Amino acid sequence: MVTKDLRAFIKVLEERNELTRVNEPLSIDLEVAALLRELMYRGGPAVIIERTREGTLPIVGNLFGKWDRVMLAMEGNDPEAMASNLVDLLNLRIPQGFLDAIKTLGELRRFSQYFPRTVGNSPVREVEWDAVDLTRIPAIRQWSHEPGRFITFGITFVRYGNYRNFGYYRLQIIGKDRLIMHWQPWRRSAMYGELSERPEVAIVFGPDPVTMLMAGVSIPHPLDKLLVTGVLRGEGVELVKGSTVDVEYPANAELVIEGELTGEFVREGPFGDHVGVYSIAREYPVVRVKAIYSRRDPIIPVTVTGKPVLEDGNIIRFGTKVVKPLLRQVLPELVDIEIPPEGLGYVIIVSIRKKYPGHARRAMAALWGLVPVLGKVIIVVDQDVNVRDWGQVMYAIAAHVNPSRDILIIDNYPVEELDPSTPIPNLGSKVGIDATRKLPEEYGGREYPMDVTAPSDVIDKVRRIADSIMGRSGN
């Protein structure tokens, strides 16, 4: 049974004792963020903050602070296995005859359940707000040097022609009907907004939990992220067409802000970001709010940033599983990929089935080309290395890397604006580390030294003896 909306997910969390409620009023100025960070660092439950001192709408936070709750959102289904269904859809063959056409039609019917569909009835439009007032929404100030209140878990939907996208972009409130849209260059939504003659957005709070998770996953143009979301859910997302904007968004959400970009750019930030430092203040586009709709008693998701690992670490882990089957369509030699949550997307480890000289560099180039701003550091290892075992990865680097040969540095390459290591926003460098065993062509024409191994029968015998010894010693 697909979890239709946030409320159904909250009910599941309560039944599993994974959610608690706080009735003591907290301030959206520093206090809410501090509580959520503390719960995330401690592996605590999701929480509903029923009252704020400023009288905003109620808050739900730390929804995905534990991987167990991500799996609850996925109904126990592995994201990687579900994403593999999308590969089957993308690989549908052109029919070669009548019988083949019938078979293909049957496959399309099976896949049609994943496609988004527009509906008439929409809980998110139960109430049209009489007055646009962004101060009622629990936008928070997380850190003392931030200049104002920020919306942190609103999902921005944007359309360009027949293409659409959605994702998380922080939003600084600068008036009851004005906010600043922080979407960075090289991001898909920013591209759509810049290409549109009349850019409009719908900022959605609290759709179903899988859609919330997918908002944090980068899916390259032109693949429809809503289709990917439907595959992950096992059922297409129900959408409603905007009332004042030409943008569709999830019908079962808690609240939506419909707005248009005015063409103005104003100073945004600084903001205490996921790297654990204040990001720079820069000019970003202004959104004028045209209308706000909601359920009768909406509850607003809020997330926080700071030094890892916080809630976004599990969203990174989820996204890695989702994109792995898609990456294998571009890199069939890809065995596994790990984006450690502590690495904030800047560090990527991949294992490959190495076949030819320079193969590791080709894998690096493919990953940098797909998502330019991520993967500041890419480490490529052989297929027998567990990319989630830092001990094995460190051994591969120690044993197989000759720095002058195996470290590739590319300067003046796009990077994420939030990366504090480079003084020029959006421009920095990349490093690729080839920690694979070297082929003769990469090793001066000689065979690479063999790994030391013991015969399997010897290993089996001594393990039985060692098990007996360890059992007797009580260790």
Side-chain angles (χ1 to χ4, degrees):
M1 188 76 177
V2 174
T3 304
K4 292 286 188 181
D5 56 22
L6 176 61
R7 295 177 181 217
F9 186 52
I10 288 173
K11 183 179 179 182
V12 170
L13 294 180
E14 286 187 304
E15 291 171 350
R16 302 292 185 93
N17 293 319
E18 286 283 347
L19 181 139
T20 190
R21 294 175 181 266
V22 174
N23 193 42
E24 178 183 348
L26 293 176
S27 175
I28 55 176
D29 188 56
L30 303 180
E31 292 182 354
V32 166
L35 174 63
L36 293 181
R37 280 195 303 272
E38 190 70 16
L39 289 173
M40 291 174 193
Y41 285 138
R42 293 190 186 191
V47 61
I48 290 178
I49 300 171
E50 297 180 327
R51 296 187 297 156
T52 68
R53 292 219 301 265
E54 293 78 8
T56 69
L57 294 170
I59 292 167
V60 61
N62 197 24
L63 285 168
F64 308 115
K66 289 171 62 178
W67 182 250
D68 289 349
R69 295 201 285 273
V70 175
M71 291 306 294
L72 281 175
M74 285 295 299
E75 312 275 328
N77 296 310
D78 178 37
E80 183 178 344
M82 294 297 287
S84 297
N85 293 321
L86 178 65
V87 173
D88 294 338
L89 175 58
L90 296 176
N91 288 337
L92 274 180
R93 297 178 298 106
I94 298 175
Q96 299 299 313
F98 180 70
L99 292 177
D100 202 18
I102 292 176
K103 179 182 177 183
T104 301
L105 184 60
E107 290 176 333
L108 281 172
R109 283 201 187 98
R110 177 168 70 88
F111 289 127
S112 65
Q113 64 182 316
Y114 304 139
F115 286 81
R117 54 188 180 275
T118 305
V119 298
N121 295 326
S122 52
V124 73
R125 293 259 280 277
E126 284 179 347
V127 177
E128 179 179 1
W129 288 24
D130 293 334
V132 170
D133 185 0
L134 292 174
T135 64
R136 290 182 57 197
I137 294 171
I140 60 175
R141 192 168 77 104
Q142 300 189 95
W143 305 98
S144 56
H145 292 290
E146 290 177 350
R149 294 170 53 186
F150 290 83
I151 291 171
T152 58
F153 227 17
I155 304 172
T156 298
F157 283 74
V158 62
R159 176 183 170 189
Y160 167 61
N162 294 322
Y163 302 112
R164 56 194 170 195
N165 192 47
F166 62 96
Y168 291 117
Y169 313 101
R170 72 181 189 236
L171 305 159
Q172 183 178 343
I173 292 177
I174 54 174
K176 287 191 174 183
D177 68 342
R178 291 283 197 282
L179 50 82
I180 309 171
M181 175 69 67
H182 184 275
W183 51 24
Q184 300 172 53
W186 301 98
R187 297 291 193 182
R188 185 172 171 181
S189 291
M191 177 180 72
Y192 289 178
E194 291 165 0
L195 291 173
S196 298
E197 292 183 7
R198 185 168 163 255
E200 298 175 324
V201 295
I203 302 162
V204 172
F205 298 83
D208 68 89
V210 177
T211 301
M212 291 184 68
L213 288 164
M214 280 299 302
V217 181
S218 295
I219 300 294
H221 173 84
L223 189 58
D224 190 344
K225 192 190 281 194
L226 280 167
L227 172 59
V228 182
T229 304
V231 171
L232 268 291
R233 297 177 76 240
E235 179 180 288
V237 180
E238 293 184 345
L239 304 174
V240 63
K241 195 172 187 297
S243 176
T244 65
V245 296
D246 189 18
V247 180
E248 292 180 320
Y249 48 82
N252 293 322
E254 293 289 309
L255 183 145
V256 62
I257 299 169
E258 296 185 357
E260 62 182 359
L261 275 73
T262 65
E264 306 167 80
F265 284 76
V266 300
R267 183 182 175 89
E268 186 263 0
F271 179 77
D273 224 304
H274 69 294
V275 187
V277 300
Y278 288 99
S279 61
I280 60 172
R282 292 190 68 194
E283 290 191 343
Y284 276 94
V286 173
V287 174
R288 182 183 72 85
V289 179
K290 302 174 75 173
I292 299 178
Y293 299 90
S294 72
R295 294 180 183 243
R296 297 195 184 282
D297 52 349
I299 184 167
I300 306 301
V302 170
T303 194
V304 292
T305 57
K307 292 180 180 178
V309 176
L310 293 169
E311 186 173 24
D312 59 346
N314 283 325
I315 297 176
I316 289 173
R317 181 179 176 188
F318 170 84
T320 304
K321 284 179 167 288
V322 170
V323 302
K324 195 187 302 182
L326 301 176
L327 285 175
R328 288 197 179 110
Q329 300 301 294
V330 180
L331 283 170
E333 62 271 41
L334 179 72
V335 175
D336 207 351
I337 180 170
E338 170 72 354
I339 305 178
E342 300 87 350
L344 305 169
Y346 300 161
V347 178
I348 298 176
I349 308 161
V350 294
S351 56
I352 63 170
R353 298 179 186 87
K354 186 173 178 179
K355 298 296 183 183
Y356 51 81
H359 200 163
R361 293 194 175 206
R362 188 249 176 179
M364 298 169 195
L367 291 170
W368 285 326
L370 285 171
V371 189
V373 297
L374 299 182
K376 177 170 65 172
V377 178
I378 294 180
I379 304 169
V380 184
V381 296
D382 289 300
Q383 66 189 66
D384 60 346
V385 175
N386 181 354
V387 295
R388 274 166 288 284
D389 185 332
W390 272 104
Q392 292 190 32
V393 174
M394 289 299 102
Y395 170 76
I397 293 173
H400 304 315
V401 172
N402 178 352
S404 66
R405 177 194 63 204
D406 296 326
I407 294 180
L408 172 65
I409 296 177
I410 301 177
D411 203 2
N412 295 317
Y413 203 90
V415 296
E416 188 181 54
E417 181 185 280
L418 306 178
D419 182 353
S421 68
T422 174
I424 304 174
N426 302 305
L427 190 66
S429 59
K430 305 286 190 183
V431 59
I433 302 173
D434 177 1
T436 60
R437 299 176 184 87
K438 301 303 173 286
L439 300 175
E441 296 91 337
E442 301 168 314
Y443 198 62
R446 295 189 293 118
E447 290 292 330
Y448 202 65
M450 287 193 302
D451 289 350
V452 293
T453 58
S456 58
D457 58 334
V458 172
I459 292 294
D460 291 341
K461 179 177 180 178
V462 300
R463 279 182 177 166
R464 288 195 300 270
I465 296 173
D467 289 343
S468 175
I469 293 171
M470 296 304 291
R472 287 199 302 268
S473 67
N475 292 325

